[in-house]
């Protein structure tokens, strides 16, 4: 058997490091099965495996190669949740249903983990955890989101303060983060190839380079026509996402085709440790930018930028390299070894499209940016519905098929992405400026505190030299009844008529914290000058 041609997956690091796998044959004859699955991506393969494990016959038709689309090109983040934000989900379906939906998404994540372990899947390169990082200083907002995820949805999360984030991700662009403990990342193409092998072991038959040209979903025995043969089945599962436009254009038009771009760097060696001390997945943007992780020991996989058309990956190499350099300037100039793209389908509501369209015709599509867990979830839901009559898939009934707007919808989505990107970058710059100002103000206060203390010690020495006795430097100043005036620039006015009251206006808060020699009675009589925003 021949190995899969790596050119089928673009110039990706995943294609270059894939495990050996056989090339599946074309369909060249007529075939009768219980279920016909159209599309050998992650959703189709999961559906086929679970149906076959339940003893039903199933055939999978793939127009290209296994996981040829986004299933074999994504960055491999296995995350809980959906493309839709948690708050939007709560607003749409209420707390109880939202919590049940979240649990289904978590079950999809666990299915991926369990399948890898059960089948001893090779070449997975699993890493643990996901950090959703904020590029703005928003401790209260991040804390509120962490509470919402944990208390309302039951997610296993914790908030990381800025200091902890910067210990792991050595970038001044980062502030707080939410850490998803159960998340992990994998080699997505090797997982898809391993899933295909598991489906075949369960009894499924997979045919590559076999596009579905037409179908007749009416009647008890439905028909799917391919170039080399026909498939008759009691059930058809449409799992081709945006690539079903020729077969069922009305369904394809309910999805926005989103192409994202990925690069993999050269081997960075010891340089990588100077920038990143975290081996989980990282996201620091609310849309397509920036999602990255360490791969193959010392490479960096970085995903970003978005178009509603299929651009050429090489045109985005320089832009993504700039994103890396802005985030981690200590890496220096980084060479890009691989660049590729993948196209996914986003529904308008950003939730998966799962359900029965008509008797025996099923849909599993629209997984957006959370495809690894939700494809596993969808495959299980559809398989259980077909074989066991489960109605759990109806949890997604509130998320109907909605026309995505055609060309106008794609143009609007592109403009909104550009606008949001500018808005987020502007907010991030403002946060960094504010942090710098706070740091300068704190440094100035420390200088003032040092100067004040030096002056107080000098007064105490003068009192001691004249034979007078005072318990503390501040008491000496009180007896003297005068003190140099603090100026706006952080210095002092040495005029002898500066009154002690000026000290109560100028003494910084840090003085009361750091000078334990002064009695608490004396310090309480001096009003602090305030302080700095100490949020992390």
């Amino acid at each position: 058997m021949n190995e899969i041609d790596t050119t089928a997956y673009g110039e990706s690091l995943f294609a270059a490091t894939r495990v050996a796998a056989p090339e599946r044959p074309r369909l060249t004859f007529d075939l009768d099965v219980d279920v016909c699955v159209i599309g050998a991506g992650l959703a189709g393969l999961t559906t086929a495996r679970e149906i076959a494990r339940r003893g039903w016959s199933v055939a999978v038709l793939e127009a290209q190669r296994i996981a040829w689309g986004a299933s074999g090109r994504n960055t491999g983040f296995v995350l809980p949740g959906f493309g839709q934000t948690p708050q939007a989900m709560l607003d749409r379906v209420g707390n109880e249903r939202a919590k049940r939906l979240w649990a289904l998404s978590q079950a999809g994540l666990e299915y991926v983990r369990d399948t890898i372990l059960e089948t001893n899947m090779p070449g997975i390169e699993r890493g643990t955890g996901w950090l959703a990082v904020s590029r703005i200083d928003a401790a209260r907002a991040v804390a509120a989101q962490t509470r919402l995820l944990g208390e309302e949805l039951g997610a296993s999360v914790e908030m990381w303060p800025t200091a902890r984030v910067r210990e792991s991700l050595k970038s001044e662009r980062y502030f707080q983060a939410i850490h998803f403990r159960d998340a992990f990342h994998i080699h997505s193409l090797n997982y898809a190839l391993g899933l295909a092998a598991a489906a075949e072991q369960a009894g499924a038959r997979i045919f590559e380079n076999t596009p579905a040209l037409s179908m007749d979903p009416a009647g008890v025995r439905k028909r799917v026509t391919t170039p080399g043969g026909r498939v008759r089945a009691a059930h058809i599962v449409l799992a081709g996402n945006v690539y079903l436009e020729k077969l069922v254009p009305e369904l394809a038009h309910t999805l926005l085709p989103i192409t994202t771009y990925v690069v993999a760097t050269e081997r960075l060696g010891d340089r990588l440790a100077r920038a990143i001390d975290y081996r989980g997945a990282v996201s620091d943007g609310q849309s397509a930018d920036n999602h990255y992780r360490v791969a193959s020991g010392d490479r960096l996989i970085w995903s970003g930028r978005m178009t509603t058309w299929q651009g050429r990956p090489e045109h985005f190499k320089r832009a993504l390299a700039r994103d890396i350099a802005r985030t981690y300037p200590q890496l220096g100039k980084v060479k890009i070894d691989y660049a590729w793209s993948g196209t996914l389908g986003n529904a308008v509501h950003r939730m998966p499209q799962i359900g029965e369209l008509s008797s025996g015709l099923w849909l599993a599509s629209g997984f957006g940016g959370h495809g690894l867990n939700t494809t596993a979830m969808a495959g299980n839901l559809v398989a259980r519905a077909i074989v066991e009559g489960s109605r759990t898939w109806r949890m997604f009934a509130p998320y109907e098929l909605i026309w995505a707007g055609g060309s106008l919808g794609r143009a609007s989505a592109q403009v909104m992405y550009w606008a949001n990107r500018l808005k987020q970058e502007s907010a991030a710059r403002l946060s960094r400026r504010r942090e710098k100002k706070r740091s300068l103000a704190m440094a100035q206060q420390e200088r003032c505190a040092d100067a004040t203390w030096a002056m107080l010690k000098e007064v105490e020495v003068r009192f001691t030299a004249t034979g007078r006795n005072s318990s503390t430097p501040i008491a000496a100043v009180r007896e003297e009844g005068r003190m140099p005036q603090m100026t706006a620039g952080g210095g002092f006015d040495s005029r002898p008529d500066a009154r002690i009251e000026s000290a109560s206006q100028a003494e910084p808060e840090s003085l009361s914290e750091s000078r334990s020699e002064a009695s608490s009675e004396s310090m309480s009589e001096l009003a602090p000058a305030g302080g700095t925003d100490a949020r992390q």
Side-chain angles (χ1 to χ4, degrees), residues 24-40 43-45 47-52 56-62 199-200 202-208 210 212 221-222 224 226 229-239 386:
R24 274 71 179 187
R26 291 176 170 84
L27 179 66
T28 57
F29 50 87
D30 291 348
L31 183 64
D32 279 270
V33 290
D34 294 319
V35 182
C36 177
V37 177
I38 299 176
L45 292 171
T47 304
R49 181 189 184 217
E50 291 308 307
I51 289 174
W56 286 35
S57 60
V58 55
V60 182
L61 307 180
E62 169 55 49
E200 289 176 321
R205 302 177 69 176
I206 301 174
F207 300 93
E208 294 183 313
T210 303
R221 300 297 292 176
K222 307 169 195 315
V224 179
T226 75
R230 291 189 304 175
V231 179
R232 287 175 294 190
H235 297 267
I236 297 174
V237 180
L238 301 172
I386 291 173

Side-chain angles (χ1 to χ4, degrees), residues 165-383:
V165 172
R166 291 180 178 177
E167 284 177 5
S168 297
L169 307 174
K170 299 171 177 57
S171 174
E172 295 183 355
R173 295 170 68 88
Y174 290 159
F175 293 92
Q176 303 82 20
I178 301 176
H179 184 229
F180 290 76
R181 302 183 188 94
D182 294 338
F184 57 100
H185 63 75
I186 58 175
H187 190 300
S188 55
L189 179 55
N190 282 346
Y191 173 71
L193 296 174
L195 187 60
E200 289 176 321
Q201 187 175 7
R205 302 177 69 176
I206 301 174
F207 300 93
E208 294 183 313
N209 297 302
T210 303
L213 301 178
S214 65
M215 69 174 182
D216 178 7
V220 176
R221 300 297 292 176
K222 307 169 195 315
R223 293 175 174 83
V224 179
T225 302
T226 75
R230 291 189 304 175
V231 179
R232 287 175 294 190
H235 297 267
I236 297 174
V237 180
L238 301 172
N241 216 333
V242 293
Y243 300 105
L244 293 176
E245 185 167 10
K246 292 182 179 179
L247 183 66
V248 277
E250 63 274 18
L251 287 179
H253 293 166
T254 65
L255 295 173
L256 280 169
I258 303 296
T259 299
T260 58
Y261 302 87
V262 191
V263 295
T265 69
E266 63 183 331
R267 292 195 174 277
L268 298 172
D270 294 339
R271 284 189 291 166
L272 186 60
R274 296 198 295 268
I276 301 174
D277 187 22
Y278 179 72
R279 289 302 179 263
V282 181
S283 299
D284 72 15
Q286 296 177 356
S287 54
D289 312 317
N290 293 308
H291 310 280
Y292 60 92
R293 65 178 179 88
V294 175
S296 301
D298 60 353
R299 294 185 189 271
L300 197 57
I301 291 179
W302 195 284
S303 172
R305 309 307 170 101
M306 180 208 99
T307 60
T308 54
W309 64 88
Q310 293 186 10
R312 295 169 63 91
E314 57 268 26
H315 292 169
F316 292 85
K317 288 172 64 172
R318 187 174 299 176
L320 292 173
R322 285 198 302 268
D323 291 345
I324 296 172
R326 278 194 290 262
T327 306
Y328 297 110
Q330 63 268 49
L331 289 176
K333 187 175 181 180
V334 172
K335 179 177 176 290
I336 302 299
D337 280 353
Y338 301 92
W340 68 98
S341 65
T343 301
L344 54 89
N346 256 345
V348 173
H349 45 60
R350 302 203 66 191
M351 290 291 282
Q353 301 172 331
I354 302 171
E356 190 175 23
L357 301 175
S358 61
S359 179
L361 182 62
W362 298 85
L363 178 64
S365 188
F367 304 105
H370 276 258
L372 274 159
N373 72 313
T374 53
T375 52
M377 173 198 71
N380 276 274
L381 291 179
V382 172

